[in-house]
Amino acid sequence: MKAADKTPKQIPVTVLTGFLGAGKTTLLNRILTEHHGRRIAVIENEFGPEGVDNDLLIQDRDEQIIEMNNGCVCCTVRGDLVRILIDLKDKQRAGALNYERVIIETTGMANPGPVCQTFFMEDEVASYFRLDAVITVVDAKHGMQTLDEQPEALNQVGFADRLLVSKVDLVDDADYQALRSRLVHINPRATITPVNFGEVDLKEILDINGFNLNAILDIDPEFLAEEHPDAAEHGHDHGHDHGHDHAHEHGEQCAVDGCSDPSHHHAHGHHHHHHDDAIGAFVFKSDKPFDPMRLEEFLGGVVQVYGTDLLRYKGILYMSGVNRRMLFQGVHMLMGADAGRAWAPGEKRGSKLVFIGRNLPRDVFMHGLEQCLV
Ligand SMILES: Nc1nc2c(ncn2[C@@H]2O[C@H](COP(=O)(O)OP(=O)(O)OP(=O)(O)O)[C@@H](O)[C@H]2O)c(=O)[nH]1
């Protein structure tokens, strides 16, 4: 191959995550057997000295399966994953491999954060690979319980650009809707699609540009609709620090501290349960412009303080003195901003930002952002 002669365009990478037994391997097998004509390199991450999943994966001549055997992606991310990716890059350049995209299947226990950060923090990786999206498989049958018991599962949902719900065949519609509603509250950014034994339209999970600043900020309208009428300002952040990590109050009462608004109780009646998840989201909206200096200072500060608890954040910004939409997004402490398209004549200008994180102090963000408006 003469791949080495070409200026390579960045190889898209999909991170496939989901809790133990959720159906990641089933989905991956489906992708690999489908005749989609795309050459995919798969990085498998396994616990323990011996990989089991590799034997279960259907091998195809078009695919290269590389396995990481020594532990969890999140613990070895600075080492193994970087080494494997650089090795993939070198082999591609040397013509020993030929793939056009990479899928990383993470262990069910992994937090996708460090995996994602690798693509922004390691220059050699970032120059050759582009993180496309995080896809999280959630088991309809066991998902509720897993979310109750495993903080990593909440992280996986919080990070996702797409949520695929497997095993819907095993539950009734009410259970599915309850799970769906909970997922929307943890992560209103991600679309939610049922997937039967890994059967999924590849267009739904590949080339999503989830980490691209220009991608539209799609927030599930349900997130706002089923909340309080002014949810944009008072959207329940289900991430208040109640001193317990992922306990749940299947409750009557609004979880927002000091809130005694009965309409909130009513609003929660729409859900089957009220899950006070440690990971949650809130949205800031305003049609007043931001003062760029103040905003930069504020965001820089909160990212320093809350970076580890911020999973994903993303927004369209209406800036004073700028006739373009500004786009910004981040993962933990890594924040990026870019100029988007110009505001159209007559277009209603405004900002919309979504923050997904663990026990974030919503008021600090909301009031702080408010202070940055002109
Ligand atoms: N009923 C039903 N079973 C499913 C579906 N999808 C996957 N399964 C089954 O769920 C089990 C676990 O699926 P896997 O694909 O191995 O899950 P995994 O996420 O790769 O599991 P780990 O690698 O252990 O984390 C298997 O027995 C699958 O056949 C589905 O849509 N419906």
Side-chain angles (χ1 to χ4, degrees):
M1 275 287 306
K2 330 103 226 151
D5 307 329
K6 292 190 299 194
T7 316
K9 68 172 179 6
Q10 281 175 306
I11 300 278
V13 178
T14 302
V15 174
L16 177 61
T17 170
F19 217 68
L20 294 167
K24 300 179 292 296
T25 308
T26 306
L27 176 72
L28 198 50
N29 270 333
R30 197 80 183 216
I31 295 171
L32 298 183
T33 45
E34 211 169 285
H35 295 287
H36 43 64
R38 310 180 212 227
R39 290 182 305 278
I40 301 173
V42 176
I43 300 175
E44 278 283 323
N45 171 230
E46 283 302 317
F47 260 127
E50 234 147 313
V52 190
D53 269 10
N54 227 18
D55 302 331
L56 305 175
L57 274 175
I58 297 158
Q59 305 255 355
D60 189 285
R61 70 190 147 78
D62 274 349
E63 273 97 33
Q64 328 274 342
I65 296 175
I66 293 111
E67 194 172 2
M68 297 172 67
N69 251 338
N70 22 6
C72 168
V73 167
C74 60
C75 312
T76 54
V77 70
R78 290 280 167 271
D80 281 0
L81 183 59
V82 172
R83 258 197 306 281
I84 286 175
L85 287 165
I86 290 170
D87 188 48
L88 273 181
K89 168 185 139 179
D90 291 344
K91 288 195 167 133
Q92 174 105 312
R93 289 209 163 149
L97 284 180
N98 181 19
Y99 55 86
E100 51 202 21
R101 64 177 59 248
V102 176
I103 298 180
I104 302 176
E105 182 189 347
T106 68
T107 144
M109 302 295 286
N111 172 1
V115 180
C116 298
Q117 284 181 302
T118 306
F119 293 90
F120 301 101
M121 290 172 84
E122 303 289 334
D123 289 344
E124 203 179 349
V125 171
S127 63
Y128 198 72
F129 298 97
R130 165 180 74 76
L131 180 59
D132 182 53
V134 176
I135 311 291
T136 300
V137 185
V138 179
D139 180 329
K141 177 85 178 156
H142 306 104
M144 276 290 193
Q145 194 187 345
T146 308
L147 289 170
D148 286 345
E149 293 171 357
Q150 307 288 349
E152 300 85 354
L154 286 168
N155 275 319
Q156 294 170 349
V157 171
F159 259 106
D161 295 287
R162 293 276 187 275
L163 291 165
L164 302 177
V165 183
S166 66
K167 310 186 193 182
V168 175
D169 53 306
L170 302 180
V171 300
D172 60 26
D173 191 55
D175 285 341
Y176 173 69
Q177 292 305 333
L179 177 64
R180 192 181 187 286
S181 162
R182 185 171 180 186
L183 296 174
V184 167
H185 281 85
I186 299 171
N187 182 348
R189 276 188 64 235
T191 56
I192 301 173
T193 315
V195 45
N196 185 35
F197 285 97
E199 205 176 309
V200 68
D201 185 352
L202 285 186
K203 287 199 290 293
E204 293 217 21
I205 60 165
L206 301 178
D207 299 320
I208 288 169
N209 280 314
F211 288 83
N212 183 334
L213 283 172
N214 282 304
I216 348 144
L217 182 66
D218 264 332
I219 297 178
D220 191 322
E222 238 181 69
F223 175 67
L224 300 174
E226 68 185 347
E227 295 283 355
H228 202 259
D230 52 357
E233 273 77 38
H234 299 281
H236 289 315
D237 125 36
H238 288 238
H240 283 269
D241 192 352
H242 292 269
H244 49 245
D245 229 25
H246 49 280
H248 301 285
E249 284 137 18
H250 294 267
E252 332 51 64
Q253 214 164 315
C254 178
V256 175
D257 294 328
C259 171
S260 56
D261 184 340
S263 70
H264 283 196
H265 304 185
H266 175 75
H268 283 281
H270 290 289
H271 318 309
H272 302 263
H273 301 289
H274 169 211
H275 292 277
D276 185 19
D277 286 318
I279 290 184
F282 54 85
V283 175
F284 178 88
K285 269 187 180 178
S286 177
D287 47 20
K288 296 199 196 95
F290 278 116
D291 178 304
M293 294 285 278
R294 263 187 269 167
L295 182 65
E296 192 181 322
E297 207 169 293
F298 173 73
L299 288 175
V302 286
V303 163
Q304 285 298 318
V305 178
Y306 301 106
T308 43
D309 290 329
L310 273 166
L311 303 186
R312 299 279 298 266
Y313 45 103
K314 192 160 188 172
I316 296 163
L317 305 174
Y318 168 29
M319 300 286 232
S320 167
V322 181
N323 61 2
R324 293 181 166 276
R325 295 163 15 129
M326 292 300 291
L327 310 163
F328 103 113
Q329 73 151 319
V331 173
H332 291 313
M333 271 185 225
L334 303 168
M335 182 167 62
D338 215 347
R341 66 165 170 81
W343 293 105
E347 181 179 3
K348 192 170 179 302
R349 299 184 182 196
S351 302
K352 181 159 90 169
L353 294 85
V354 60
F355 295 88
I356 300 172
R358 182 185 308 106
N359 291 328
L360 294 177
R362 186 182 62 92
D363 292 351
V364 170
F365 281 77
M366 296 307 232
H367 294 154
L369 289 166
E370 203 75 44
Q371 297 301 310
C372 299
L373 296 171
V374 171

